[in-house]
Amino acid sequence: MRLNRFALFLVLGTLAAWTPARANVAVTLATGGTFSADTAGSVSLTGPTISEGATGDICGGSGTIVLTAPAGFNFDTSSAVTVQVFRSAGSGSNNRNINKVASGTNIATTMTSATITFNLTSCTTNAVRNQLIWQNIRVLATASCPLPSPGNITLGGTATVKGAPAGAATGTLAEVAGAMSMFTVLPGQSFTSCSGIGGTPSSQTAGVAFNLTSLVVADHWGNVNTGYAGTKTISYSGPTGTNTYTSSVAFTSGISTITLATTLNSAQTTTI
């Protein structure tokens, strides 16, 4: 029995030695995916790129590789996205490359606003390794306010991408608030996120003190700067004569939190 167990050990060890070593792909994430709500139209990304670590790492016969946009973002379908097949290692005929094309060939994709699909028809062979490089991806947010939560462009499809399972990130998209301004909310008015100032200001009497409703720091889409906090010195300009203002103002999450006592002695425009 000892001889049999020893013989079995040798056979299993030999079989393990015959199994070819495989490496994982390297995913270089797309860049350029953070942009302002003030951006007009879509923005261009660079990449992503998926690089084979070993021959056949990107495989699966007639399969697909699908990139999916995160919630709150779309792909710009007016931009024709291609995938470049680039030989990173090995030699020999083009038939050894993915889809049996020459290195540097750009292959068209199928697009919707939510997905970009690359069709894979053959794998690398004979010690050749390839890179797949996505080109001309453009993205846009579905709204300027409220801002969508940052999210990843994810990998999917029916092809096997070794080391990058379904749901793997291929880039991150994030929309940030636009240029900030300070909004003065007068008595009779209110400020609503994504809508701005609403209501009709009530009339005030010259020389009689009144309180401003609030000061709000936001972009013109109505995204409030929630990081704006602490005591700030507010300056006023415009009216002549003797007028009084509240110049030391505490803010929490972009909105003033103290009484804003004000007295104007004439009907003039005040800039804050």
Side-chain angles (χ1 to χ4, degrees):
M1 292 298 293
R2 288 183 180 176
L3 288 176
N4 289 341
R5 283 198 296 269
F6 183 66
L8 179 59
F9 174 78
L10 287 177
V11 170
L12 290 176
T14 303
L15 288 174
W18 291 341
T19 302
R22 296 290 297 277
N24 289 336
V25 299
V27 178
T28 302
L29 302 182
T31 59
T34 298
F35 54 93
S36 167
D38 291 339
T39 301
S42 58
V43 298
S44 179
L45 304 184
T46 299
T49 298
I50 301 178
S51 304
E52 290 186 308
T55 302
D57 275 349
I58 302 171
C59 206
S62 297
T64 59
I65 298 176
V66 181
L67 303 186
T68 300
F73 297 89
N74 284 336
F75 294 120
D76 183 349
T77 56
S78 69
S79 179
V81 174
T82 60
V83 176
Q84 183 179 106
V85 177
F86 177 80
R87 181 177 290 189
S88 56
S91 59
S93 72
N94 295 334
N95 285 341
R96 298 178 178 183
N97 291 328
I98 287 174
N99 287 15
K100 298 182 179 181
V101 298
S103 179
T105 298
N106 297 323
I107 300 175
T109 63
T110 302
M111 295 184 63
T112 70
S113 61
T115 60
I116 299 171
T117 301
F118 170 73
N119 291 313
L120 184 74
T121 58
S122 65
C123 317
T124 50
T125 61
N126 297 85
V128 165
R129 299 199 307 271
N130 282 175
Q131 291 180 328
L132 296 181
I133 306 168
W134 276 258
Q135 302 174 116
N136 304 322
I137 295 178
R138 298 186 67 88
V139 297
L140 63 161
T142 57
S144 296
C145 189
L147 301 173
S149 299
N152 291 326
I153 301 172
T154 54
L155 189 67
T158 60
T160 299
V161 183
K162 192 174 186 301
T170 58
T172 299
L173 302 182
E175 183 184 34
V176 298
M180 291 291 161
S181 300
M182 185 168 292
F183 293 83
T184 303
V185 186
L186 300 173
Q189 295 181 317
S190 61
F191 186 97
T192 303
S193 178
C194 298
S195 297
I197 295 175
T200 302
S202 57
S203 299
Q204 305 299 319
T205 303
V208 177
F210 65 95
N211 297 329
L212 300 177
T213 300
S214 62
L215 299 177
V216 180
V217 179
D219 67 9
H220 77 279
W221 304 102
N223 294 297
V224 178
N225 184 354
T226 57
Y228 194 85
T231 301
K232 311 294 182 181
T233 299
I234 306 300
S235 61
Y236 301 79
S237 63
T240 59
T242 302
N243 304 286
T244 60
Y245 311 98
T246 303
S247 57
S248 181
V249 179
F251 286 84
T252 298
S253 298
I255 302 174
S256 61
T257 57
I258 68 168
T259 300
L260 301 169
T262 306
T263 302
L264 299 177
N265 287 299
S266 60
Q268 300 181 66
T269 300
T270 301
T271 300
I272 299 178

